[in-house]
Amino acid sequence: MKLPDNLLKKLDVRHSENALRKLPNANNLTDFSSNDYLGFSQSEAIFNQTHQFLLEHKYSQNGATGSRLISGNHPLYQTTEDYISEFHNAEAALIFNSGYDANVGFFSSVPQKGDLILYDELCHASIRDGIKLSNAKAYKFTHNDFEELEAHIIRHSVDNIYIVTESVFSMDGDAPNLEELIAVSKKHSCYLIVDEAHALGVYGNKGEGLVQMLNLQDEIFARIMTFGKGLGCHGAAILGSNDLKDYLVNFARSFIYTTGLSPHAIATILIAYQYLASLDDGLITLRSNIVHFNQQKMLLGLKPMFVQSKSAIQSAILPGNDKVKAIAQKFVDSGFNVKAILSPTIPEGQERLRFCLHSYNSKEEISEVLSMLSTFVF
């Protein structure tokens, strides 16, 4: 059946703007594009230990069989949530099927009519989509501008104000000043929510995230931890109080009305967390690679085009979809997978190459990919 004309027109616009998304093919290029920061998705040890764990505990079913509130709440859920909450120094953890589901579930159910949501303008689409489903009023504030944030708080006199940010922003790779943000939040008795999707496995002594690295977990109302990045698997958890967990179980529709994750998926999360807790070399190598990348971009005169970042995400701003796609293709032709981020995913004029760093990238690969960038842009 033919697609409706108004939908075809939208596709035509994407074609004309050179912004049409297409599913990529698998490749053997040197990886500077995935979120697999520690290489856990490729770990045979995690794969094999997960399999052995399931055999030892006699888990042989392929699916959860239903939502967690009906038939899908197999015992591995509680075991894993207990481990996660202890690992993150949180009172409770509730697993969702994905980071998207966690954010949509939280923001669509927790802020109520008459409440206020103030969110950083660069917050992820999943946060924005959840906010759209909320009955609360919402306003964005300029990226990491806490003076503007406080002005919003003062302007809107309501009982419950929710402030939303990310500890590492997915497109820029930068981080907010969490101590300053907490000071503003406490001053006005606000509820602070921090998405740590791109900090898990990158920051902290054991990769716990930026909030715990700074020992600020007791000042945060809720943390969202996503497992598809640093843990190399799938799913997410919301960390907070026992009351928050009870509330989400009762009111978060993306939790209530979906089939639970399989025992295999939950076991993979548990084993990945156990590996993270015992990991030393991988974290050290990743952080060393981040330092090396920043040193090399300075030596090559590339620093001005990059957003300042000390995370595993490094973005070079190269305005224009045509330009950034052409340079990304040059990297592919040279054997390197570097992702072009196009408008409308990001604002027009902010198109970029996003370099994602990993523990398994070599120093030589990092030096080479930046040397190529220098050749391509100068």
Side-chain angles (χ1 to χ4, degrees):
M1 186 178 292
K2 181 184 176 183
L3 200 66
D5 288 341
N6 59 339
L7 302 185
L8 286 171
K9 287 179 181 178
K10 294 182 76 171
L11 282 176
D12 289 340
V13 170
R14 286 288 172 89
H15 271 293
S16 66
E17 294 175 346
N18 199 12
L20 186 70
R21 297 183 177 102
K22 292 184 179 181
L23 294 173
N25 296 319
N27 60 67
N28 293 315
L29 302 175
T30 301
D31 183 10
F32 281 98
S33 67
S34 81
N35 295 322
D36 189 22
Y37 303 127
L38 296 170
F40 277 18
S41 77
Q42 310 164 49
S43 171
E44 290 186 15
I46 292 176
F47 182 89
N48 291 332
Q49 190 167 330
T50 298
H51 179 66
Q52 189 62 35
F53 178 90
L54 291 167
L55 291 177
E56 290 175 358
H57 291 81
K58 295 181 170 47
Y59 284 103
S60 58
Q61 67 189 67
N62 295 316
T65 76
S67 72
R68 289 183 67 183
L69 287 168
I70 302 296
S71 61
N73 194 40
H74 47 81
L76 256 179
Y77 263 114
Q78 190 62 54
T79 300
T80 305
E81 287 174 342
D82 288 346
Y83 190 95
I84 291 170
S85 61
E86 183 176 354
F87 181 87
H88 285 296
N89 292 338
E91 192 172 294
L94 182 66
I95 291 175
F96 283 73
N97 285 13
S98 69
Y100 189 95
D101 284 342
N103 276 324
V104 168
F106 182 93
F107 291 104
S108 65
S109 66
V110 174
Q112 301 292 295
K113 185 176 182 179
D115 294 344
L116 179 68
I117 307 170
L118 300 174
Y119 63 97
D120 190 291
E121 64 178 348
L122 297 189
C123 278
H124 191 264
S126 59
I127 294 173
R128 292 167 172 264
D129 286 356
I131 289 171
K132 287 178 183 178
L133 295 172
S134 171
N135 290 318
K137 289 185 177 180
Y139 299 92
K140 63 184 178 182
F141 58 90
T142 302
H143 183 49
N144 288 337
D145 188 337
F146 302 145
E147 289 184 3
E148 181 180 322
L149 168 64
E150 190 164 20
H152 275 298
I153 295 171
I154 294 169
R155 187 178 307 120
H156 300 91
S157 179
V158 299
D159 290 337
N160 298 320
I161 298 177
Y162 296 89
I163 300 172
V164 192
T165 192
E166 300 177 20
S167 56
V168 175
F169 285 87
S170 60
M171 287 299 146
D172 283 18
D174 63 339
N177 184 328
L178 288 177
E179 291 97 335
E180 182 180 349
L181 183 55
I182 286 170
V184 172
S185 178
K186 292 178 70 174
K187 177 180 177 181
H188 298 282
S189 301
C190 300
Y191 298 94
L192 181 58
I193 302 100
V194 180
D195 187 314
E196 292 235 78
H198 292 276
L200 178 61
V202 179
Y203 287 97
N205 292 333
K206 295 296 181 182
E208 305 96 327
L210 185 60
V211 169
Q212 273 175 271
M213 187 185 85
L214 300 173
N215 197 31
L216 299 173
Q217 60 271 10
D218 293 338
E219 310 294 339
I220 309 296
F221 177 66
R223 286 176 280 165
I224 293 90
M225 315 301 300
T226 302
F227 309 143
K229 282 79 174 174
L231 286 191
C233 47
H234 193 67
I238 295 179
L239 310 177
S241 66
N242 286 315
D243 286 344
L244 175 61
K245 180 174 180 175
D246 288 344
Y247 181 87
L248 292 169
V249 167
N250 280 275
F251 294 101
R253 294 172 70 86
S254 64
F255 174 87
I256 298 166
Y257 299 109
T258 190
T259 299
L261 292 171
S262 69
H264 186 277
I266 299 299
T268 305
I269 295 167
L270 176 61
I271 300 302
Y273 258 109
Q274 290 174 350
Y275 264 77
L276 189 60
S278 62
L279 190 68
D280 290 317
D281 292 347
L283 290 168
I284 292 169
T285 303
L286 175 60
R287 290 163 187 165
S288 176
N289 283 347
I290 294 169
V291 171
H292 182 70
F293 189 98
N294 279 315
Q295 290 173 340
Q296 289 299 114
K297 74 186 184 189
M298 185 179 299
L299 288 171
L300 292 167
L302 296 168
K303 184 178 179 181
M305 73 175 60
F306 277 86
V307 179
Q308 185 174 354
S309 167
K310 295 182 179 179
S311 77
I313 299 170
Q314 303 281 332
S315 290
I317 307 299
L318 297 164
N321 282 347
D322 292 343
K323 179 179 181 180
V324 75
K325 284 184 74 173
I327 295 176
Q329 186 59 49
K330 289 182 179 181
F331 277 114
V332 170
D333 294 341
S334 302
F336 289 83
N337 196 358
V338 179
K339 185 68 175 176
I341 308 296
L342 312 175
S343 58
T345 298
I346 51 176
E348 188 173 348
Q350 289 294 306
E351 295 84 3
R352 64 196 57 197
L353 291 171
R354 185 173 64 167
F355 297 81
C356 291
L357 306 179
H358 314 92
S359 60
Y360 51 86
N361 290 133
S362 69
K363 298 290 193 300
E364 291 75 19
E365 288 170 345
I366 292 171
S367 296
E368 186 175 358
V369 78
L370 285 173
S371 179
M372 285 181 186
L373 178 62
S374 179
T375 301
F376 296 155
V377 299
F378 292 142

